[in-house]
Amino acid sequence: MKHIQNIDYAMREFDAITREGEELVATHCAFCGMQCGMNIRFKPDTKEVLGVEPRYDFPMNGGRLCPKGVSAYRQVEHEERLLYPMIRRNGKLERATWDEALDLVASKMREIQLQHGKDAFGIYSGSSMTNEKCYVMGKFARIGLGTKNIDYNGRYCMAAAATGFKQSLGMDRGSTNPWSDIKFADVLLIAGSNTAECHPLSMPYVWGARDRGAKLIVVDPRETKTALVADLHLDLRPGTDIALVNGIIHVMIRDNLVDHAFIEAHTNGYEALKETVAEFTPYHAEMITGVDQRKIEQAAHMFGKAREGMVMFARGIEQHATGSDNVSNYVNLSLLTGKIGRKGSGVATFTGQGNGQGGREHGQKADQLPGYRVITDPAARAHVAKVWGVDESEIPGPGISAYEMLKSLGQDIKGLLLICSNPLVSAPSIGDIEERMRSLDFFVCIDMFLSESAELADVVLPSTVWVEDNGTTTNIEGRVIRIKGIDRTPGESKRDWEIIGEIAKRLGRGQYFDYGSPEDIFNELREASRGGVADYYGITYDKIDRMDGVFWPCPSLEHEGTPRLFEDLKFKFPDGKAKLHGFTHTGPNEKVDKDYPFILTTGRVVYHYLSGNQTRRIEALRKLCPDPYIEIHPNTAAQLHIKNGEFLKISSRRGYITVPAKITKIIRPDSLFVPYHWGKQLGINRLTNPALDPKSKIPEFKVCAVQIEKAGEEDIKHAQSALY
Ligand SMILES: Nc1nc2c(c(=O)[nH]1)N[C@H]1C(S)=C(S)[C@@H](COP(=O)(O)OP(=O)(O)OC[C@H]3O[C@@H](n4cnc5c(=O)[nH]c(N)nc54)[C@H](O)[C@@H]3O)O[C@H]1N2
Ligand SMILES: Nc1nc2c(c(=O)[nH]1)N[C@H]1C(S)=C(S)[C@@H](COP(=O)(O)OP(=O)(O)OC[C@H]3O[C@@H](n4cnc5c(=O)[nH]c(N)nc54)[C@H](O)[C@@H]3O)O[C@H]1N2
Ligand code: SF4
Ligand SMILES: [Mo]
C-alpha cells in the first residue's frame, strides 16, 4: 500500500543495479529535512563505503540528489573521523580507553551533581540524530542523570514554527500537507526560505505547481534563486514581516478577498485582527517594509483570489525576537482565505535538520516528554513514568532553553554533555559563549569529527555517522521513514545510544537503557508517544517499509497514518476552531543607528550544512565554497569605495570578523548577508544578537545592526590565517 506518489518519473520501474562485490543499503540523506532516499554502495566483506546513488523508489526525491546529498557518504571513510575516546591531560586531548573515559564522565557527573545539585549538569543535544537517539537523550536526562536541564539545537531552528503553529492551529506538525499536494496549489507564497539552496529537492514541487499555472510569491530581502523565478518578489527590509503581512491582510479585508463563511465557522479572533491591521494601509506597510505598495496590493489579490494555495516559510521569518508571531501572522493568511485542509491548500514550514521534525517531538526539548507531551501535565507525566517504569516524582520539571543554558555555563550549569551540535559556531554571540564554555568544571562531547566545540571538551567520545546505525527520522512532511545502516563502527567508535547506555550503567541506572537495538528503542517510543499529539503507536519498522513511510499521527496498528491534517477542519483547540491573532509591528530587537547603520542577516549556502563541521571536511563541497564572504549591494559598495573581493571588517555591538566583499545585486542596499557555516575568527555568530523570542526562545539570527569598514592589515592577516 504505497499511497503517496510525489514526483513522477519514468525510471521508477528500474531497480538499482548492484555491481559484483558490492551491496546496497537503501537509506536516506544525512542532511536536510527533505530526507531524500539514497542507496549507499559498500563492500559486504570489508564494509567499506564506495559511493551513493539517488533512490528511484522513494517518492520524495525520485532519483535526484543535491550537491550535499551526493557527497554525504564521503564522511564515512574520512581520515579525520574520531576513532577513539580522548581525555584532556595537561591541557591536551589524549587517547584513552573507553573504560577510562566513561568512568571519568560518570564520576564527574556524580561529583558535580552531589556538590551543586542534580540540575547543575546540563545536556545539549541535536536533531540530526534519529528519533530513537533523540528519545534516549530526553529519557537519559530525566531518569538517567536526573537533571531538568536538557535542550537541543532545534531551539535555534524549529522552535518559533512550533510555537506559532500551536498558538494558531493548536498543534505543530511542520507541514499540514504531504509534499505531493504542493503541485495542486494555484498560488504558492514562500517567505523567508531560500528553497533552491536549502531544500533543493523541493524545487521540483514548486515547478510542478507552476507547470499547472500556479503563481509564485516570494518574500525575501534577497533575490535568491527562488525569488528570481517568482511572479512577485516582495523584497522587504529584514525584520518587517509582520508589517508586510498586515498590509496584505488589510487589502484582503478591504477588497473582500477573505472567506467570511470559513472565518465564522472555523476561527476565533477575526474582529481583533481586523482592528489591528486597520492602520496597515499599503502605504503604511511600504514605509516600514520598503516594499512597493503596489506589490503588496498585488500579493493580496494573487493569494486571495486563488482557489487553492499554500503558505510556506522557513528561518527567514522564524529566527526573530517576534518569530512565533511572524509564523502565526503568515498562518493567518491561510485561515482568512480558508485555504487549509485540502489538496493544494495548507501551511508548511521547511523543516531544517534531517530529523528536525521528529527531534522536536520525543522529549529532548526542555519542557517536553515523548509524543509532544507537556512535561508539566500530570497525565502526561503519569503515562511516561509508567512506560519508563519509574515513579512520576522521579521525572524533573521543565528546564531552560538552549541559549539560556549556554549563558548559564560556569554559573548554574557546572557540567555539560554536548551531543550532535556545535554551538561554538551555531549559537549567537559565540565570543561570549566560548568564555563560558571554558569556565565549566567538566565538559564531555560526543561527535564523529572534532568540532570547534569539541576542541574545548575534557572528554571527547567518538560516535558513528548516520549510515552506521539503524533507526527512523521524521521528514519535512511528518512522514516517519527508516534510516538503514551498514554494520560498521570504525576504530573504537560506538553508536550514540550505546554510549549513553554505558554512561547510564555507570550511574547505576543501566536497567532503563538496556536496549538490544534501535528497534527496541522505537517500540518503547511508540508506547511513550501513545495517545499524545505526535502519536507513533501505530507505526512499526515493517509498516514504514511497506508504505514508503508513515505520516503521524498514527494511533493504531490498523491506522494508515495521516498525510493531510485538518481535513475535517477541526483544529486542536477545545472548540475545534483555529485562532486568528493580530500583531502590531515592533521591529527587530536591535535597530540600526548612526554607529551601526546596516542590517546584517545570516543564513546558508547550498554547499555547506549548518556549523560546517561535516561539510567543510568534504573536499568536493569545500572547493565549491571554501570561505565565508559578505554580500553587499553595488550602490552601497560604490558609496564606500569598496571593490569586489576586498576584505571588510564587519562589527556589531558584540564583536567583529573580517571577510571578503561579494558585490551583488541579490541584496538590498540597506542590508548585508553573511553565511554562517564557519567558526573561530570567521564565525559571523561573533556578531549576531542573542535576543530571544520570549515565546519560543529562538534567537534573532536574522537581524542585527552592524557597521562595515575596509579592514586593516592585521585583521586581514588574522582572517587569512583561517581561510582555505
Ligand atoms: N545548503 C543547506 N541546506 C540546508 C541547511 C544548510 O545549512 N545548508 N540547513 C538546514 C536547516 S537546519 C535549516 S533550518 C534550513 C534553513 O533554510 P532557510 O530558512 O531557507 O535558510 P536561511 O539561509 O537560513 O534563510 C532563508 C532566507 O531568509 C531570508 N531572510 C533573512 N531575513 C529575513 C526576514 O526578515 N524576512 C524574510 N521574509 N526573509 C528573511 C534570507 O535572505 C534567506 O534567503 O535549511 C536546511 N537545509
Ligand atoms: N547566524 C546564524 N546562526 C545559526 C543559524 C542561522 O541561520 N544563522 N541557524 C541555526 C539553525 S537553524 C540550526 S539547526 C543550528 C545548527 O547548528 P549545530 O547544532 O551546531 O549544527 P551541526 O553543524 O549539525 O552540528 C552537529 C554536530 O554534531 C555532529 N553530528 C552530526 N550527526 C551526529 C550524530 O548522529 N551523532 C553525534 N554524536 N554527532 C553528530 C556534527 O559533526 C556536528 O559537529 O544553527 C543555528 N545557528
Ligand atoms: S535536498 Fe536535503 S535531503 Fe535531499 S539530498 Fe539535498 S541535503 Fe540531502
Ligand atoms: Mo535548522
Side-chain angles (χ1 to χ4, degrees):
M1 174 182 19
K2 303 207 174 193
H3 53 94
I4 300 289
Q5 174 75 44
N6 287 17
I7 295 180
D8 303 318
Y9 44 87
M11 290 182 70
R12 194 175 164 101
E13 300 90 69
F14 292 106
D15 280 338
I17 298 158
T18 320
R19 299 191 195 97
E20 211 180 305
E22 286 183 16
E23 262 179 38
L24 296 180
V25 60
T27 189
H28 297 269
C29 181
F31 297 129
C32 88
M34 293 294 295
Q35 289 293 281
C36 296
M38 55 170 61
N39 288 313
I40 304 279
R41 295 183 173 276
F42 68 102
K43 282 192 183 159
D45 46 351
T46 59
K47 309 281 191 256
E48 184 193 349
V49 166
L50 303 166
V52 67
E53 62 189 30
R55 270 170 60 191
Y56 289 93
D57 64 343
F58 184 63
M60 253 335 237
N61 59 311
R64 301 170 175 97
L65 292 173
C66 85
K68 285 185 307 304
V70 292
S71 22
Y73 79 94
R74 291 184 185 265
Q75 298 174 80
V76 188
E77 306 287 347
H78 200 286
E79 60 191 22
E80 287 161 11
R81 285 279 303 268
L82 296 174
L83 297 176
Y84 44 79
M86 290 186 287
I87 295 179
R88 186 171 301 280
R89 296 186 179 113
N90 303 318
K92 272 179 59 191
L93 285 170
E94 287 177 1
R95 183 171 186 163
T97 67
W98 271 104
D99 275 336
E100 284 171 323
L102 292 169
D103 288 348
L104 180 62
V105 170
S107 72
K108 287 288 181 185
M109 284 174 166
R110 275 217 203 87
E111 190 184 309
I112 287 172
Q113 288 191 312
L114 215 60
Q115 220 179 336
H116 303 283
K118 288 268 185 194
D119 301 329
F121 213 101
I123 296 183
Y124 192 106
S125 188
S127 264
S128 284
M129 296 189 294
T130 56
N131 286 315
E132 288 77 358
K133 292 174 192 175
C134 294
Y135 168 83
V136 164
M137 290 318 297
K139 180 179 177 187
F140 174 73
R142 274 56 173 255
I143 66 164
L145 201 49
T147 179
K148 67 174 186 184
N149 284 322
I150 173 164
D151 209 46
Y152 78 123
N153 63 5
R155 189 63 70 176
Y156 300 158
C157 183
M158 307 310 300
T163 308
F165 283 139
K166 272 187 274 180
Q167 73 182 0
S168 295
L169 306 173
M171 67 174 280
D172 154 48
R173 191 186 80 182
S175 177
T176 55
N177 298 56
W179 243 227
S180 54
D181 272 8
I182 295 174
K183 65 171 179 268
F184 298 106
D186 300 310
V187 60
L188 293 173
L189 189 154
I190 301 184
S193 153
N194 185 357
T195 317
E197 292 203 63
C198 296
H199 298 89
L201 267 301
S202 283
M203 286 311 286
Y205 293 89
V206 175
W207 287 318
R210 297 201 65 203
D211 288 347
R212 293 183 62 257
K215 295 279 188 243
L216 175 62
I217 307 172
V218 169
V219 187
D220 198 304
R222 296 161 64 228
E223 194 175 32
T224 58
K225 292 192 175 68
T226 322
L228 264 178
V229 298
D231 296 283
L232 192 56
H233 174 205
L234 308 178
D235 51 345
L236 82 179
R237 205 168 272 139
T240 62
D241 287 89
I242 286 196
L244 180 79
V245 175
N246 283 356
I248 297 176
I249 297 176
H250 177 102
V251 176
M252 291 204 305
I253 293 176
R254 185 196 71 192
D255 296 352
N256 203 21
L257 298 165
V258 297
D259 182 341
H260 288 290
F262 182 93
I263 293 170
E264 176 65 30
H266 302 297
T267 70
N268 289 310
Y270 177 65
E271 289 305 322
L273 170 60
K274 192 174 163 186
E275 212 166 290
T276 311
V277 300
E279 63 170 313
F280 286 86
T281 60
Y283 172 76
H284 184 57
E286 173 174 341
M287 286 302 108
I288 299 171
T289 61
V291 177
D292 188 327
Q293 53 177 311
R294 283 164 302 186
K295 285 195 190 173
I296 297 175
E297 302 248 3
Q298 252 182 303
H301 281 256
M302 221 179 243
F303 191 79
K305 285 181 184 154
R307 212 165 66 95
E308 308 295 340
M310 293 200 55
V311 177
M312 306 176 80
F313 39 81
R315 302 315 82 74
I317 71 147
E318 297 163 16
Q319 290 167 331
H320 293 274
T322 56
S324 307
D325 295 347
N326 288 1
V327 167
S328 284
N329 219 19
Y330 276 101
V331 175
N332 282 339
L333 295 175
S334 286
L335 294 174
L336 286 166
T337 56
K339 290 188 181 57
I340 194 160
R342 295 191 301 270
K343 209 187 221 183
S345 282
V347 289
T349 185
F350 287 90
T351 294
Q353 298 171 83
N355 197 26
Q357 179 69 52
R360 72 179 188 268
E361 298 166 356
H362 299 296
Q364 59 175 351
K365 260 180 122 163
D367 54 356
Q368 188 198 60
L369 290 173
Y372 230 127
R373 290 185 154 91
V374 178
I375 202 164
T376 48
D377 170 9
R381 296 172 62 84
H383 173 86
V384 174
K386 195 159 167 237
V387 175
W388 288 351
V390 297
D391 192 80
E392 186 250 303
S393 62
E394 282 191 59
I395 301 178
I400 50 178
S401 73
Y403 184 70
E404 293 169 311
M405 193 188 302
L406 296 179
K407 287 276 281 186
S408 307
L409 299 184
Q411 293 167 356
D412 293 347
I413 309 258
K414 304 284 187 194
L416 183 71
L417 186 158
L418 173 67
I419 181 167
C420 196
S421 182
N422 183 11
L424 273 195
V425 173
S426 55
S429 201
I430 44 179
D432 173 45
I433 296 309
E434 178 174 344
E435 275 173 41
R436 292 173 194 273
M437 243 180 202
R438 288 184 190 277
S439 73
L440 281 166
D441 290 355
F442 182 73
F443 173 21
V444 49
C445 177
I446 309 177
D447 205 307
M448 61 273 185
F449 292 113
L450 194 70
S451 68
E452 285 80 358
S453 309
E455 281 178 27
L456 299 192
D458 299 299
V459 173
V460 176
L461 303 175
S463 80
T464 54
V465 300
W466 95 111
V467 76
E468 292 162 347
D469 200 359
N470 295 302
T472 60
T473 58
T474 306
N475 83 347
I476 198 162
E477 312 166 286
R479 184 201 303 245
V480 184
I481 53 178
R482 279 189 69 188
I483 303 295
K484 293 184 186 172
I486 305 161
D487 186 16
R488 47 172 279 150
T489 47
E492 296 175 15
S493 62
K494 287 183 195 285
R495 298 179 175 113
D496 295 309
W497 57 274
E498 291 169 331
I499 300 173
I500 297 299
E502 290 286 334
I503 299 174
K505 215 186 285 172
R506 285 166 170 79
L507 293 171
R509 308 291 281 178
Q511 69 272 33
Y512 301 110
F513 299 89
D514 190 18
Y515 302 107
S517 69
E519 193 167 7
D520 276 359
I521 304 172
F522 189 75
N523 285 333
E524 188 183 296
L525 179 160
R526 291 175 47 220
E527 290 289 350
S529 75
R530 190 175 190 175
V533 175
D535 191 334
Y536 280 40
Y537 176 68
I539 307 175
T540 61
Y541 276 20
D542 179 51
K543 194 162 164 182
I544 295 173
D545 281 344
R546 275 188 283 117
M547 294 184 66
D548 278 343
V550 183
F551 291 73
W552 73 259
C554 182
S556 69
L557 289 169
E558 300 72 43
H559 197 283
E560 292 186 3
T562 315
R564 193 177 300 118
L565 297 178
F566 309 127
E567 283 184 306
D568 57 359
L569 300 180
K570 294 265 175 296
F571 298 95
K572 271 269 177 199
F573 290 109
D575 64 359
K577 290 186 174 187
K579 285 197 179 138
L580 293 165
H581 298 270
F583 305 102
T584 111
H585 169 80
T586 51
N589 173 273
E590 190 176 61
K591 316 267 194 287
V592 293
D593 58 20
K594 67 175 192 337
D595 297 327
Y596 298 96
F598 292 101
I599 306 170
L600 171 76
T601 190
T602 63
R604 300 160 163 77
V605 298
V606 67
Y607 305 111
H608 287 294
Y609 188 64
L610 303 178
S611 79
N613 192 37
Q614 292 160 277
T615 50
R616 279 182 277 126
R617 295 176 200 274
I618 298 175
E619 199 186 345
L621 296 172
R622 192 176 67 226
K623 271 190 180 156
L624 290 163
C625 183
D627 302 306
Y629 51 81
I630 178 166
E631 285 180 3
I632 177 168
H633 191 274
N635 296 356
T636 316
Q639 259 169 24
L640 301 171
H641 309 290
I642 292 165
K643 291 196 280 297
N644 199 37
E646 196 170 359
F647 277 89
L648 299 185
K649 181 172 174 181
I650 327 161
S651 329
S652 76
R653 290 187 174 81
R654 291 153 295 274
Y656 71 88
I657 64 166
T658 302
V659 292
K662 179 173 176 181
I663 299 180
T664 166
K665 281 194 187 148
I666 276 182
I667 187 96
R668 292 173 54 91
D670 58 6
S671 303
L672 305 160
F673 170 86
V674 179
Y676 90 101
H677 310 287
W678 292 264
K680 298 190 176 163
Q681 60 262 53
L682 299 177
I684 193 61
N685 275 332
R686 293 191 172 281
L687 279 69
T688 43
N689 184 359
L692 303 182
D693 169 14
K695 292 184 179 172
S696 69
K697 306 290 169 81
I698 199 169
E700 188 150 87
F701 287 119
K702 287 295 185 265
V703 187
C704 74
V706 299
Q707 57 148 304
I708 44 173
E709 59 193 311
K710 293 189 188 212
E713 245 172 70
E714 277 307 304
D715 286 326
I716 296 178
K717 253 195 237 156
H718 188 54
Q720 274 173 334
S721 66
L723 300 178
Y724 272 107

